[in-house]
Amino acid sequence: MGDQALLEKMSQAIIALDKDAAIEAVEAAISEGMSPLKAIEEGLQPGIKTVGERFETFECYLPELIGSAQAFTAAMDVLEPIIAQMSDNQKNNGTVVMGTVKGDIHKIGKDIVVLLLKTRGFNVIDLGENIPASEFLKAAQKHNANIIGLSALLNTTMPAQQEVINLFKEQGIRDDYAIMVGGAPISQKWADQIGADGYAKTAEEAVKLAFDLMNVKTA
Ligand code: B12
């Protein structure tokens, strides 16, 4: 089966909320030599995006959102160990504290960013989801972080990114860390508005950004 057909199968499996089909499709893609990143970005992500759009237009409801997330996660469970094997464990390119901000439990995108950062030699402290500003601060200090990564998927939780930045400012430690923001509703404009150091649209761009931020820091 060609790449295009396999990618389509992945996407359809996520839309059909079919875990087994999602696993089968990524396993087939890997055995045919497809890169796991391509499978995520061009197969799984378009599927979950479609489900999100259908949810927005009331063509489907919360159970479908949950089902598609479960199928996505099942496929990621197959891909994760393969990506981990590609890891650059020899280097320590910097320490990143990552989490999804308070009030927000979306984790899939944040987890992909964490995974890719790890494979590219970053030490990542993943705080998880629904993380208050104070926890980001505590972790940044405890782990002597270089970069703080804030994920937000809801319009209503975007301001929580700002809260983190404000807290760091209040404590007089804002300039000790580079703060990057991301998530579907986030834009460069928003990042500029809240005074973040960077924004990235995809996980791969997030890794590039992390390298850029480290260069700035070490310059
Ligand atoms: C799956 C999903 C869920 C799942 C989440 C499961 C989980 N454990 O993660 C569940 C069912 C729990 C859920 C719940 C809700 N959801 Co929801 N969900 C989605 C959906 C369909 C996909 C999100 C996703 O995983 N995308 C795939 C990943 C790979 O993409 P990503 O998250 O954008 O991440 C990429 C980039 O953004 C970037 N990135 C991400 N984080 C970071 C961080 C940094 C630092 C950087 C640099 C980059 C970066 O890299 C990632 C990889 O490329 C989206 C639709 C969409 N288009 O986003 C809706 C969506 C986000 N959800 C939405 C809503 C409304 C909700 C609920 C309020 C629904 C409800 N009525 O209860 C609740 C909120 C719960 C809460 N308090 O958080 C809306 C939000 C609208 C808005 N803009 O405010 C969306 C957009 C759907 C829609 N079109 O209406 N959801």
Side-chain angles (χ1 to χ4, degrees), residues 4 25 64 66 69 88 101 136 170 216:
Q4 216 44 51
E64 282 83 2
I66 295 169
D88 192 350
V101 295
F136 282 102
E170 278 162 33
V216 169

Side-chain angles (χ1 to χ4, degrees), residues 40-41 45 48-49 51-53 55-56 62 65-66 68-69 72-73 98-99 103-110 112-113 129 148-157 161 180-185 198-206 209:
I40 294 172
E41 284 183 356
Q45 277 183 211
I48 206 161
K49 193 164 175 261
V51 177
E53 283 160 4
F55 176 79
E56 203 173 354
L62 201 54
L65 226 51
I66 295 169
S68 72
F72 195 111
T73 308
M98 273 286 295
D104 200 321
I105 60 166
H106 293 87
K107 64 177 277 188
I108 294 174
K110 183 260 300 163
I112 296 173
V113 176
E129 301 78 52
I148 317 297
L150 308 173
S151 185
L153 267 286
L154 300 170
N155 291 340
T156 50
T157 57
Q161 293 184 330
M180 61 180 189
V181 292
Y199 153 76
K201 193 173 167 54
T202 66
E204 286 210 79
E205 283 175 26
L209 173 62

